[in-house]
Amino acid sequence: MARAYDAFAEFRMTGHNVVVTGGAQNIGAGIARSLAGAGARVMIADLNGEKAAETAAAIAAETGQDCRGMACDVTDEAAIRAVVAATADAFGGISTLVNNVGWGGRHPDPTAISEEDFVQSYKLNAISAYRMSMACLPYLEQAENAAIANSSSFSAATPAYDILAYATAKAALTQMMVSIAHMLSRKVRVNSLLIGTVMTAGYGEAGIDPAMQDRLMHPDNLVGRTGRPQDVANAMLWLCSPAGGWVSGQTINVHGGGGVVRLFGD
Ligand SMILES: NC(=O)c1ccc[n+]([C@@H]2O[C@H](COP(=O)([O-])OP(=O)(O)OC[C@H]3O[C@@H](n4cnc5c(N)ncnc54)[C@H](O)[C@@H]3O)[C@@H](O)[C@H]2O)c1
């Protein structure tokens, strides 16, 4: 029997042209895959151009969509201009920007974080998203259902002194994006996700030892597990698609209902 009503229709991204920063792996790759799987054309912009191209090829094969990867350092203005121009050329416009890049290491001594570390974290987690957003703006302003969505962190909204520089920068990102949502009202919807723990190899690289990772793997959240890239991608699809068309200027928790960041002890 033909369906007269399809509840998923507004979650489709057909006709949307997306840039996902940091989409070569983990959460960003999951977001790129979901948006392509919903029908969007997707450009993965990542510091690791080779991995971006590999991930994009795998997504294109799996979804049948036009998905490409390109090297881009989102802290570099010229690289931002290049990836925005390449995306607009390839797809004929940009409707959707996912500012997913970000990360920060743990500081063993949170009383002695250098100014340089604070500034670096701010550049990577906050300023890069501002510059990407402004570079995409001329295209976003022309698009239907234009949206910017950001991968922020739960640590931006809760005490998290082990990762102070990162948490501070993510808090800046969240505030900046609420303000930008107001600046771009009626033109571009802007929202951020406060993401909880999604276990990746990056935790080890950030100085979080196996015992601490184990505690994070059994988090004291309401759902009782850490997140998967797909959990974050599902929320991003809602925010970016027409299904999220009445949502802007919001900061939304996607963290299993976590209440605290507990890296040490119970
Ligand atoms: N994993 C988590 O538990 C978690 C929790 C909260 C928030 N987040 C946020 O979600 C986002 C993705 O997290 P993830 O764990 O998938 O990260 P990840 O480190 O696994 O992947 C990040 C990607 O960004 C790329 N990248 C790094 N610097 C870049 C730059 N200057 N320019 C372009 N690309 C760059 C990397 O090459 C990599 O492919 C980040 O913003 C992170 O802060 C993650």
Side-chain angles (χ1 to χ4, degrees), residues 52-255:
E54 273 170 30
T55 301
I59 291 172
E62 200 181 7
T63 62
Q65 291 300 317
D66 189 348
C67 184
R68 306 174 189 213
M70 188 171 160
C72 172
D73 178 350
V74 295
T75 64
D76 175 344
E77 191 74 53
I80 288 175
R81 276 199 300 272
V83 84
V84 169
T87 308
D89 275 358
F91 299 157
I94 299 172
S95 64
T96 315
L97 169 64
V98 180
N99 288 310
N100 169 72
V101 160
W103 196 243
R106 170 180 171 245
H107 287 93
D109 180 0
T111 67
I113 303 170
S114 69
E115 182 175 324
E116 194 191 343
D117 279 4
F118 271 111
V119 170
Q120 277 308 110
S121 188
Y122 192 62
K123 282 184 177 169
L124 182 69
N125 290 289
I127 299 176
S128 69
Y130 173 76
R131 286 167 143 183
M132 276 299 302
S133 301
M134 295 311 115
C136 289
L137 189 54
Y139 300 101
L140 294 169
E141 283 178 333
Q142 306 293 317
E144 290 285 313
N145 184 46
I148 298 170
N150 306 285
S151 290
S152 189
S153 168
F154 178 39
S155 65
T158 197
Y161 61 82
D162 302 321
I163 44 174
L164 192 60
Y166 170 75
T168 305
K170 286 295 196 187
L173 170 70
T174 309
Q175 150 58 23
M176 177 198 289
M177 287 299 166
V178 172
S179 293
I180 289 176
H182 285 252
M183 183 170 88
L184 303 183
S185 65
R186 299 176 192 212
K187 295 182 201 152
V188 184
R189 294 185 300 103
V190 184
N191 295 290
S192 300
L193 295 182
L194 297 190
I195 302 168
T197 305
V198 177
M199 196 52 63
T200 66
Y203 276 88
E205 288 154 20
I208 302 195
D209 65 37
M212 211 186 296
Q213 289 187 42
D214 188 59
R215 279 199 290 277
L216 286 163
M217 288 295 277
H218 302 93
D220 184 21
N221 68 26
L222 302 182
V223 173
R225 64 168 175 83
T226 51
R228 307 160 302 153
Q230 186 69 54
D231 293 315
V232 179
N234 291 339
M236 281 292 185
L237 174 57
W238 170 54
L239 290 177
C240 294
S241 68
W246 210 37
V247 183
S248 190
Q250 302 306 305
T251 303
I252 295 166
N253 291 313
V254 178
H255 58 20

